[in-house]
Amino acid sequence: MELRHLRGFIALAEELHFARAAERLHIEQSPLSRTIKELELEFGAQLFDRSSRGTRLTWPGEVLVNDVRRIFQAVEQARSNVQAAVAGYRGTVRVALSDGVLPQRLSAILARCREQEPEVEIRLYEVSLSQQLRGLREDCFDVGFARSCAVGRGLIATPVWRTPLTVAMPARHPLLALKHVPMLEVLRYPLVLFDPKTHTGLSEQIEQLLRDTQVNVSVVERVSSPEVMLSLVAAGYGIGLACEAQMALCQSQEIITRPLAGEPPLLTSYLLHGEAILSEHLQRFVNRVTECDIASDGLKRGAA
């Protein structure tokens, strides 16, 4: 079995059409058919069901897809490691980012890493929470940042950053008469919230805070980015709820933020990694995250 067999298999598994898969591989259909037959003989199993209704994966084929993707991830990792070594790096930390990591904190960590250990390469991967958890378990990533602590077995989630929930409103909203806005006043208006598909942990935290109020809320839109949220808020669709650090980056004169009255709810970010003993350079990265947190501007308060 060679890598060309696996490339042919994964192309057909994703296209489920011999002609399209062959075109994607820049080969004729007949070589692709031979490749698949050779692979099926190698495994002693039918990987595709071919019929007049089309091509589909068999159950053994579906099982193989996940393993083949891991193989190609390992190959790509090896290529990246060699390129990093050629560039002079002596180690690598692979960092997964989900749920809109706080840019101010991330930039502080990256700056400290470059200053204190420039020979260690930091690779960043923006992925969904589910991809991050799977990647941490399958050794595709070393650590990750997310807004969820529901990580399951084999992973550790440590709270590292906490930032207040804040309110974003259009420039002529009636609530701007208040310097600190009570949550119950906010909930009288339609809300623009983050989509749980793209901001899983952040959405879960905000939704829990809303459930705790025991008020029926009106959600007019769920968005996948702060930029879309701000556009809808500026257009008057509703009020946005987001973390204070994210809103601090907003430069629009059409959006004004207000803190919530009383002790504002805190949104928590977590550092995720496996339970195994960390390598030396990975432990130093984790220590820098903690150091940046201690030296921060006081956004971390209390327990999660």
Side-chain angles (χ1 to χ4, degrees):
M1 179 173 56
E2 302 174 12
L3 282 178
R4 66 179 179 84
H5 291 98
L6 301 183
R7 290 192 183 96
F9 168 77
I10 205 69
L12 185 56
E14 292 176 353
E15 299 291 343
L16 293 178
H17 191 281
F18 273 87
R20 289 197 299 268
E23 182 179 359
R24 171 171 154 180
L25 295 167
H26 306 292
I27 61 175
E28 299 294 328
Q29 264 187 253
S30 55
L32 176 60
S33 297
R34 285 196 301 272
T35 295
I36 299 303
K37 287 180 181 178
E38 290 170 3
L39 197 59
E40 290 178 328
L41 286 172
E42 176 80 19
F43 285 107
Q46 183 179 348
L47 303 175
F48 294 93
D49 182 16
R50 310 159 181 84
S51 69
S52 58
R53 291 174 294 180
T55 301
R56 65 178 182 86
L57 282 163
T58 62
W59 171 238
E62 291 182 20
V63 171
L64 183 59
V65 164
N66 293 327
D67 290 329
V68 171
R69 284 179 174 151
R70 280 194 288 269
I71 289 171
F72 281 119
Q73 285 174 347
V75 170
E76 185 58 34
Q77 183 71 60
R79 181 181 291 110
S80 297
N81 289 342
V82 171
Q83 291 172 345
V86 170
Y89 290 112
R90 296 291 178 177
T92 301
V93 177
R94 301 164 298 172
V95 184
L97 308 174
S98 305
D99 278 345
V101 66
L102 304 182
Q104 301 96 323
R105 301 300 177 84
L106 181 61
S107 61
I109 292 167
L110 295 179
R112 185 163 295 191
C113 288
R114 292 190 65 182
E115 176 186 352
Q116 297 179 354
E117 206 167 13
E119 70 277 9
V120 175
E121 181 189 25
I122 307 296
R123 295 181 195 158
L124 303 179
Y125 303 84
E126 293 184 88
V127 296
S128 67
L129 178 60
S130 61
Q131 289 174 316
Q132 178 176 158
L133 298 180
R134 184 170 62 250
L136 288 169
R137 290 192 174 91
E138 296 178 355
D139 195 32
C140 297
F141 311 126
D142 298 307
V143 296
F145 293 102
R147 303 293 186 100
S148 178
C149 61
V151 297
R153 291 184 179 180
L155 298 177
I156 297 172
T158 304
V160 288
W161 306 319
R162 294 184 177 91
T163 183
L165 181 69
T166 194
V167 185
M169 295 174 282
R172 292 181 176 81
H173 198 278
L175 290 181
L176 291 176
L178 304 173
K179 290 186 177 180
H180 296 81
V181 186
M183 176 65 90
L184 292 181
E185 287 297 315
V186 172
L187 301 185
R188 292 175 51 214
Y189 296 89
L191 300 179
V192 179
L193 302 179
F194 286 109
D195 191 328
K197 294 179 182 178
T198 56
H199 291 70
T200 305
L202 180 59
S203 178
E204 287 173 355
Q205 292 190 47
I206 293 176
E207 294 284 356
Q208 183 58 57
L209 292 171
L210 295 178
R211 284 194 295 271
D212 290 343
T213 66
Q214 298 184 337
V215 174
N216 290 326
V217 300
S218 171
V219 180
V220 293
E221 194 65 66
R222 296 185 184 274
V223 299
S224 59
S225 71
E227 292 78 14
V228 175
M229 172 181 283
L230 295 177
S231 296
L232 294 177
V233 170
Y237 279 65
I239 291 177
L241 290 178
C243 74
E244 184 178 84
Q246 283 178 318
M247 292 299 101
L249 298 175
C250 172
Q251 302 296 322
S252 172
Q253 296 181 348
E254 300 174 334
I255 301 290
I256 297 177
T257 61
R258 285 284 189 269
L260 288 163
E263 188 67 25
L266 299 177
L267 301 173
T268 306
S269 296
Y270 297 89
L271 176 68
L272 278 53
H273 59 78
E275 293 179 341
I277 297 175
L278 304 180
S279 66
E280 290 185 8
H281 62 263
L282 184 54
Q283 184 62 62
R284 288 193 292 272
F285 177 87
V286 172
N287 292 343
R288 290 187 192 101
V289 173
T290 305
E291 291 165 5
C292 284
D293 186 34
I294 292 173
S296 70
D297 57 3
L299 289 179
K300 182 180 179 181
R301 311 170 192 173

